[in-house]
Amino acid sequence: MSERVTAVAPANIALVKYWGMRSEEPLRPWNRSISMTLSRSVSTTTVALLGSGREDEVFLAGETGELRSAPGAFVERVVAQLRRLRQRAGRQEALRVATRNSFPAAAGLASSASGFAALTVAAAELLGLGSSPDLLSTLARDSGSGSAARSVLGGFVEWPGEEEPESPARQLFAATHWELCDLIAIVDERPKAVSSRAGHRAAPSSPLFAARQERLPARLAAVREALRARSLADLGPPTEADAAELHTVALTASPPVVYWRAGTLEVLRAVGELRSRGVSVYWTMDAGPNVHLLCEPAQEEEVAVAIERLSAVRRLIRDRVGTGPRLSEEHLF
Ligand code: PMV
């Protein structure tokens, strides 16, 4: 094995969601989205050059360093991304990949965003494509996980939609701008039954899809302004409204897509109760049953105690805004 590169890349939580694709290949989102990059929910991915005449190899890495084979559908997505990156770099060598998440995969916690961001950052470095954020963002987007385009940047990030089809995601504000917390209430760790890809495909069939699109420009402006002003009271309402609309669009699509579980509602009720007691905390959810709770560090403990007490909550991940991907010397093999 000649050379290897390891990258650690974070998940992100969308404040205004990307939901619906204009085209799948190349991936073009229906609408602009804004997210916060996390710091503790990360994927670590090592990529190494194999000798010529070999096939790509893809492994999942366990906590104790053991490598095990990855499911076929996952291997296919990874190998397809390696092909795109090799083609871009004008290289031919087969690659070995191992990856590990610090959090449950495929449960609506953006594991594909962090995973494909880490794969893209590591492979781009190894293949000599460099580390320009614009290039990494467009390469990560082409993996098929649109939200990966945002995970290559830290802080608060905006990914343009159809009106700027080629443009990469861009940082709106660095992580140091506002130390926002994201407490992730896990009510179900199992992989979700319907992929976000299937949800994106179904979305435009909802009679409410067009109504959401009409409301987005004002919502995006409100979220940008609330971030600029570091005002959770102004950020929370449009963020909750957007998550509620995404899940309403999903429920009213054909076929209907249901990501919520009973435990989801228990958490949302608890957020309502906390707010009625004057605690500033707001919820959002991606394409899964688990609930992200946004609050400031001064409220983190009170929110965590109230949410961990709920019978529906299996565990709580205490995350925060983060600075984006980094290279690491701690290789997985
Ligand atoms: O990145 P994808 O293609 O898995 O889609 C992500 C969709 C949402 O997480 C629901 C919204 C978003 O903008 O992250």
Side-chain angles (χ1 to χ4, degrees):
M1 196 131 341
S2 43
E3 267 181 84
R4 61 197 164 150
V5 173
T6 296
V8 181
N12 66 80
I13 178 63
L15 305 170
V16 179
K17 318 283 183 188
Y18 143 55
W19 198 237
M21 299 173 286
R22 283 179 196 267
S23 93
E24 294 197 19
E25 282 269 351
L27 177 62
R28 295 292 177 264
W30 208 287
N31 61 272
R32 281 179 175 265
S33 53
I34 297 179
S35 58
M36 172 172 115
T37 298
L38 301 181
S39 60
R40 294 178 195 149
S41 301
V42 295
S43 297
T44 301
T45 302
T46 299
V47 183
L49 291 170
L50 293 171
S52 53
R54 306 268 299 265
E55 302 259 303
D56 292 326
E57 297 174 4
V58 181
F59 298 98
L60 301 178
E63 286 305 313
T64 51
E66 79 282 5
L67 299 185
R68 53 184 203 282
S69 56
F74 178 73
V75 174
E76 267 175 43
R77 286 187 72 187
V78 170
V79 169
Q81 179 68 349
L82 295 179
R83 250 186 244 122
R84 288 184 203 102
L85 295 167
R86 265 194 299 259
Q87 195 177 17
R88 184 80 179 224
R91 304 272 294 251
Q92 259 99 40
E93 302 97 315
L95 298 162
R96 172 178 294 165
V97 174
T99 188
R100 182 171 74 200
N101 292 330
S102 68
F103 59 97
L109 298 184
S111 59
S112 60
S114 55
F116 281 102
L119 176 71
T120 302
V121 169
E125 177 72 19
L126 184 67
L127 296 172
L129 285 166
S131 57
S132 133
D134 281 7
L135 179 68
L136 291 176
S137 180
T138 53
L139 292 173
R141 173 197 66 200
D142 290 341
S143 70
S145 168
S147 52
R150 300 187 309 241
S151 262
V152 302
L153 294 151
F156 300 90
V157 178
E158 178 158 355
W159 179 30
E162 197 261 343
E163 70 274 27
E164 292 180 53
E166 290 306 324
S167 42
R170 291 265 161 75
Q171 187 179 73
L172 289 174
F173 303 101
T176 48
H177 174 71
W178 190 15
E179 196 178 20
L180 205 54
C181 304
D182 177 13
L183 306 189
I184 311 168
I186 308 291
V187 299
D188 193 339
E189 306 210 36
R190 289 169 300 178
K192 59 197 176 203
V194 183
S195 67
S196 53
R197 174 55 63 107
H200 285 296
R201 282 185 187 140
S205 67
S206 162
L208 304 178
F209 184 76
R212 174 171 180 262
Q213 296 300 318
E214 277 169 29
R215 297 159 68 85
L216 281 177
R219 182 172 296 153
L220 286 154
V223 165
R224 274 184 221 111
E225 177 52 26
L227 291 173
R228 191 199 58 73
R230 300 185 199 96
S231 167
L232 187 55
D234 291 330
L235 180 68
T239 300
E240 285 189 354
D242 196 58
E245 280 181 26
L246 180 152
H247 286 274
T248 309
V249 166
L251 273 168
T252 51
S254 37
V257 180
V258 187
Y259 288 117
W260 294 30
R261 297 281 178 276
T264 308
L265 289 170
E266 203 183 318
V267 178
L268 298 193
R269 284 174 63 104
V271 173
E273 275 163 29
L274 279 162
R275 272 225 297 276
S276 69
R277 299 204 318 253
V279 181
S280 187
V281 53
Y282 294 87
W283 64 269
T284 184
M285 295 166 63
D286 277 346
N290 302 311
V291 186
H292 294 249
L293 305 167
L294 302 174
C295 65
E296 293 188 274
Q299 279 73 45
E300 184 183 15
E301 194 56 32
E302 186 172 0
V303 173
V305 168
I307 298 299
E308 271 171 339
R309 208 183 278 144
L310 301 175
S311 59
V313 174
R314 308 184 75 80
R315 69 184 169 116
L316 190 74
I317 299 173
R318 295 186 187 208
D319 219 323
R320 287 206 179 189
V321 64
T323 53
R326 62 183 171 84
L327 296 179
S328 163
E329 290 303 316
E330 287 173 40
H331 304 296
L332 296 178
F333 58 87

